[in-house]
Amino acid sequence: MPRKPTRRRRSLIARPLTFAPFSRSLAHLHSTFMPKHQMLGSKVPGSPSHNEVVKKTSKEKIEQSESSEEEEFGGEVQADFAFFDPKPDDFHGVKILLQSYLDNTEWDLSGFVDLILEQTTVGTVVKIEDDEDNGLFSVVSALNLGRYKDHKCIADLKEYLLKLCLEKSIKGDLRVLLGEQAHNVGLLVSRRVVNLPPQLLPPLYDSLFDEISWATEDEPTEELRNSFCFNSYVLVSKMYKHKNADKKNRLSSDSEEAIIYVNPEDEIFHKLSLWSFNFPFHAEQVTARELKNYRPMGLVMAVEADKISTFREQLRSLIDEP
């Protein structure tokens, strides 16, 4: 398996992101709040194959073509995104991205961020190259729930999830994953700004899962190598659910989806999940007209590790589709 970076230059069109029909309105809503240099397009003709692994150092990046800062919306814009190993200086940026990770509950978020930043062999943060503000656009990682079970933040997270899971059959499975099987369970953490270019998603997830695979071979101790031998992943995400989604004649028009996923890849994870549950999400109130019939919901999913190769293939297909 190659472990060298692949560099490519790509030109992005500035317009609201539309990853797929189910997320169209959400992407449009959030695009109006982003700085112009972040308003990047959703499809790039002739973009390279995502089968090529992007491995990161401080100099490695996925390059986007340059253009003037003075260009009007609708033209090409400059954005040289770079993949970096997490480091202590990223604390505030990662904490902002994870601010509502467990809704508005009080928990040890700072300790959680510290775990992500201390695990440099598996995990990625995305920034714009040479950005003076050192702004953070995305973070992905996978934390072993057994390895970190004695940390307050993981104890808080487990308590939170068990409290919110009201389905008895799923709660039993959840309790097993968080307890006796925790040493083989990875908490897959993924947060980003809404307008991150979708072309970054396949190499971003490829990088994460390749790093997990490499860690099972390259970590200095057997204990550390085993800590990345995941059998399952738990994901905590967010979606918007139509207020009539559970009713027989549920939707008021054919154009309204039952679920709008905040992250397009969550639809793939959801379909591949062993089980899932959702719960009311209070940290964000829906004010946009396009979402007046939707409620923000937390989404928890369990995905078996042997489904990840399928996920990676389907994610590439989703991003590459016309």
Side-chain angles (χ1 to χ4, degrees), residues 132-148:
E132 293 182 359
D133 295 332
N134 201 34
L136 220 118
F137 288 75
S138 178
V139 58
V140 295
S141 190
L143 302 175
N144 185 297
L145 290 176
R147 175 182 176 185
Y148 298 116

Side-chain angles (χ1 to χ4, degrees), residues 119 143-147 181-186 212-232:
Q119 184 178 276
L143 302 175
N144 185 297
L145 290 176
R147 175 182 176 185
Q181 294 181 6
H183 284 282
N184 297 115
V185 177
I212 291 171
S213 177
W214 297 333
T216 64
E217 303 172 3
D218 298 342
E219 287 291 83
T221 68
E222 183 178 4
E223 182 180 6
L224 284 175
R225 291 191 292 271
N226 290 339
S227 72
F228 292 101
C229 294
F230 300 127
N231 292 333
S232 304

Side-chain angles (χ1 to χ4, degrees), residues 3-15:
R3 303 197 186 189
K4 296 295 182 182
T6 301
R7 296 167 64 95
R8 289 292 186 272
R9 182 171 291 275
R10 298 195 288 224
S11 176
L12 299 182
I13 305 302
R15 58 187 171 210

